[in-house]
Amino acid sequence: ADELGSGQIISVFVLEPKPKIHTIDFDGNRRIPKKKFGDVIESKVGEYLDEAKLNADILELLDYYHKHGYSDVEIDYCIDVDKESGFAGVVFNILEGTKRKISAINFVGHEPCLVGDLKKVMTTKKWNIISFLTSSGRFRQEVLTEDLAKLRNYYRDQGYLDVEILESKVTLEYPSKNTIEITICIDPG
């Protein structure tokens, strides 16, 4: 901004148009083919580049991977803009991590409720022989969070109104490369 005198200011704005998406690619997805991602993400080739939409796409891709048992997936993106043509290429970088099976669900301080009753309340289940048919037995953080709320409600229904089952008191252990053990600490109050 330049000052002309007598309180007048000249402001110059440089406007740059948003580039159009020319290509969308996925790098690092070894176990899930990229053709599956077309329905998952909102960004499409031919649309104007929108970084807020790309960030939302990352969340959708993370959710997709979590639903398929990849609890420690990491995803980011990079943009390559060609200023001359006005087009941009987007690459989602994916570090899939390990697909983990739940080998055990343990409870500490669960008295007076029975472990079997608590496991029935939960959607999260231990991996078993039919898990490949039912998609159960894979760790998903959002499902475990919902299960903790179900367990609190179950205890309250049993008359334990001051029950505490905190997410911070849940421990995850990795006895092997592709298994996970969940331990839930319960304070019935």
Side-chain angles (χ1 to χ4, degrees):
D2 292 328
E3 201 167 317
L4 290 175
S6 70
Q8 294 180 338
I9 297 176
I10 296 176
S11 297
V12 177
F13 296 94
V14 178
L15 302 177
E16 290 188 23
K18 280 188 173 186
K20 278 192 171 183
I21 299 173
H22 183 258
T23 59
I24 298 176
D25 204 3
F26 302 89
D27 186 36
N29 55 309
R30 295 184 322 271
R31 295 184 189 101
I32 297 179
K34 66 181 171 183
K35 66 181 179 183
K36 299 273 188 185
F37 299 142
D39 294 333
V40 175
I41 64 171
E42 291 291 319
S43 299
K44 304 290 182 215
V45 170
E47 292 181 346
Y48 287 103
L49 183 68
D50 182 346
E51 288 199 56
K53 197 183 255 191
L54 292 175
N55 286 317
D57 289 340
I58 285 178
L59 295 177
E60 292 298 322
L61 288 167
L62 286 169
D63 186 52
Y64 185 83
Y65 267 96
H66 291 162
K67 286 179 181 174
H68 287 83
Y70 296 92
S71 59
D72 52 353
V73 63
E74 295 177 20
I75 303 174
D76 65 2
Y77 65 85
C78 60
I79 302 167
D80 182 27
V81 178
D82 182 351
K83 296 223 183 237
E84 287 183 24
S85 69
F87 287 103
V90 176
V91 178
F92 289 94
N93 300 302
I94 301 169
L95 180 60
E96 290 178 332
T98 305
K99 192 171 186 177
R100 299 189 189 275
K101 300 174 185 176
I102 299 171
S103 60
I105 302 173
N106 305 307
F107 297 93
V108 175
H110 60 85
E111 296 78 16
C113 296
L114 300 173
V115 170
D117 292 338
L118 298 177
K119 287 182 179 180
K120 286 179 188 173
V121 171
M122 298 176 63
T123 302
T124 302
K125 303 289 183 203
K126 180 180 167 184
W127 177 266
N128 62 47
I129 193 115
I130 61 166
S131 289
F132 69 94
L133 294 173
T134 63
S135 298
S136 66
R138 297 284 185 190
F139 179 73
R140 291 178 42 208
Q141 183 63 50
E142 67 277 5
V143 175
L144 180 61
T145 300
E146 292 170 7
D147 285 340
L148 297 179
K150 290 178 186 177
L151 289 169
R152 281 189 287 276
N153 289 336
Y154 177 78
Y155 266 88
R156 289 180 180 131
D157 289 346
Q158 304 304 312
Y160 297 92
L161 302 179
D162 295 329
V163 66
E164 283 191 9
I165 306 173
L166 304 174
E167 199 162 341
S168 61
K169 300 267 183 162
V170 174
T171 57
L172 305 175
E173 295 178 11
Y174 306 95
S176 71
K177 179 182 159 192
N178 62 351
T179 61
I180 187 169
E181 286 185 8
I182 302 169
T183 303
I184 301 170
C185 294
I186 300 172
D187 178 5

